[in-house]
Amino acid sequence: MSVLTIKDLHKSFGSNEVLKGIDLKVGEGDVVALIGASGSGKSTLLRCVNRLEAPTSGGVTFRGDPVTPENVNAIRRQIGMVFQRFNLFPHLTALGNITLAPRKVLKRSEEEVAAEGRALLKQVKLEAKEEAYPGELSGGQQQRVAIARALALKPAIMLFDEPTSALDPELVGEVLEVMRDLAKSGMTMIVATHEIAFARDVATRVLFLDNGLILEDGPPEQVLVNPREPRTREFLARVLSKT
């Protein structure tokens, strides 16, 4: 059974149809990279998966259960999401940000979640920063705390919405390294990204979105090296010329 199934998903904002019929199945351990120009629908697709945006039509199924307004809170606990902006609580320490949801949502003890939170900080290579507040951390460090926070609920799948786009170039690598380690551990991931080298090296599948449609879906060596669609070739030529 697929972890996630998206069927004929459409999303419009007024007269602007952003997603025009997306079909996608994501299996256990898949690392799916979504590439495409800004405005192609990548972020909207991710936001529809955990119903931060309600689909106009079509639907999303998580482990066989349709994602609906009635069960979305329960399903969101199993779908971790990391945003472009880190969205950390500025008044909480790194450890406090990570442990908040397990305490409040899962009603677990302070001692239990603190131990797991410290293990997650070690996983993202920030064990020395547990008492630091977001304002005392670099952008890359804040994003790594955000990844640890998403992992704290032990999700079955992780969604990344352009996780490095708000970072200075020298901080991008430290976030991508954590994501590479997650992929190696077997975490199922969907990553909207402009980092073509990451997609090539880490993804099991690459999807090229253009104007609300999936134009190309295949292994990295096919989509990124020998794409079938002229529009994919045009996009890659433009992106790679900037690197």
Side-chain angles (χ1 to χ4, degrees):
M1 181 187 295
S2 298
V3 177
L4 192 74
T5 301
I6 299 168
K7 184 70 174 172
D8 196 26
L9 185 69
H10 291 252
K11 177 61 183 179
S12 296
F13 297 95
S15 61
N16 180 24
E17 190 177 20
V18 177
L19 299 177
K20 302 176 180 178
I22 299 291
D23 291 294
L24 175 64
K25 287 188 176 183
V26 180
E28 198 85 44
D30 279 354
V31 179
V32 179
L34 306 178
I35 64 170
S38 296
S40 60
K42 303 186 302 296
S43 294
T44 300
L45 175 56
L46 291 180
R47 293 174 68 84
C48 285
V49 167
N50 66 358
R51 222 176 170 87
L52 288 173
E53 298 287 354
T56 304
S57 63
V60 178
T61 301
F62 176 78
R63 288 187 165 166
D65 293 323
V67 182
T68 67
E70 291 71 33
N71 67 7
V72 67
N73 287 332
I75 287 178
R76 277 182 187 154
R77 295 173 195 171
Q78 301 178 70
I79 302 177
M81 187 157 184
V82 177
F83 300 88
Q84 297 178 32
R85 297 286 171 180
F86 325 120
N87 295 343
L88 298 178
F89 292 107
H91 65 289
L92 295 178
T93 64
L95 185 62
N97 268 281
I98 293 167
T99 59
L100 182 65
R103 285 192 296 108
K104 297 291 187 182
V105 176
L106 303 183
K107 310 298 184 188
R108 297 178 59 207
S109 73
E110 185 87 46
E111 297 76 15
E112 195 176 18
V113 298
E116 291 184 3
R118 291 187 179 99
L120 285 168
L121 280 169
K122 185 173 183 180
Q123 184 177 336
V124 299
K125 304 174 176 63
L126 285 174
E127 57 266 45
K129 297 291 187 179
E130 71 171 77
E131 294 302 322
Y133 289 88
E136 300 169 327
L137 299 173
S138 72
Q141 290 170 335
Q142 289 184 64
Q143 192 61 295
R144 284 186 280 156
V145 172
I147 292 172
R149 179 181 60 182
L151 291 170
L153 291 177
K154 299 181 171 62
I157 185 171
M158 287 281 285
L159 311 179
F160 292 86
D161 184 9
E162 301 281 8
T164 60
S165 66
L167 301 178
D168 292 334
E170 65 268 23
L171 302 177
V172 168
E174 64 191 46
V175 173
L176 293 181
E177 182 182 357
V178 169
M179 293 170 63
R180 288 173 193 269
D181 290 344
L182 266 183
K184 287 178 187 172
S185 76
M187 174 62 74
T188 307
M189 298 160 62
I190 308 178
V191 184
T193 185
H194 288 296
E195 302 289 340
I196 301 300
F198 175 85
R200 182 192 64 224
D201 297 343
V202 179
T204 56
R205 290 166 64 194
V206 176
L207 275 61
F208 174 63
L209 270 69
D210 185 60
N211 199 26
L213 294 167
I214 297 173
L215 287 194
E216 202 131 15
D217 177 0
E221 59 271 20
Q222 183 258 301
V223 175
L224 300 178
V225 178
N226 189 28
R228 290 186 294 263
E229 297 291 330
R231 180 71 187 92
T232 314
R233 292 196 290 271
E234 177 191 331
F235 169 80
L236 289 170
R238 192 171 69 248
V239 169
L240 294 174
S241 71
K242 298 177 183 178
T243 59

